[in-house]
Amino acid sequence: MAETRNATGAELHELGAAECLSLISPGGVGRVAFNGSDGPTILPVNYRVINGAIVFRTRAGGAMDEDLRTGIEDLEIKIAFEVDEIDVTRHEGWSVLVQGPVHHVADDEVRWVADPGVQAWAGGTRDHYVRITPQRITGRRIQTL
């Protein structure tokens, strides 16, 4: 675990994959990053971690749904997912980045990922489940002394 210290005495620590998953496991709000039809796109989503995968809901046929499909069976798009927690007053916090393929959950698979905690704050119907299978998990924590 690498550490660096800045002039104010704050230390930056790299986090291991297990600690990163522990930090994001309660769920909440994260950001999905992908190459959309109009270029690089980052969108906030309400998510949960279910069986080691990140699960969120979106609108079927919406921009994210369309941008994350290839039309080629079994070819999945690799995307990034980021969650952080920042304490602006204390200049402390952590950030976790997950990278992996996105999977559109088929109707017959929904029972494996359906969770009452996966609720989108955005209005409208969000009945399309999306799952990210983590392939790379990295994180950092900054702490003041």
Side-chain angles (χ1 to χ4, degrees), residues 22-95:
S22 176
L23 288 169
I24 68 171
S25 285
V29 177
R31 284 165 295 288
V32 176
F34 57 95
N35 189 21
S37 56
D38 293 323
T41 304
I42 301 171
L43 297 172
V45 295
N46 298 87
Y47 78 95
R48 296 283 299 205
V49 177
I50 301 172
N51 297 325
I54 293 136
V55 178
F56 61 92
R57 292 167 67 170
T58 189
R59 186 171 57 85
M64 186 184 308
D65 180 20
E66 294 296 321
D67 282 345
L68 296 179
R69 290 188 188 274
T70 63
I72 301 171
E73 190 172 335
D74 296 329
L75 179 63
E76 295 177 321
I77 298 171
K78 189 172 183 179
I79 66 172
F81 179 78
E82 194 266 344
V83 179
D84 55 39
E85 184 173 291
I86 308 291
D87 183 332
V88 177
T89 304
R90 297 180 59 179
H91 300 159
E92 294 184 340
W94 55 263
S95 179

Side-chain angles (χ1 to χ4, degrees), residues 80-118:
F81 179 78
E82 194 266 344
V83 179
D84 55 39
E85 184 173 291
I86 308 291
D87 183 332
V88 177
T89 304
R90 297 180 59 179
H91 300 159
E92 294 184 340
W94 55 263
S95 179
V96 171
L97 176 66
V98 176
Q99 296 166 302
V102 64
H103 174 72
H104 298 270
V105 178
D107 291 341
D108 62 341
E109 297 178 302
V110 168
R111 70 181 179 278
W112 301 109
V113 298
D115 182 303
V118 183

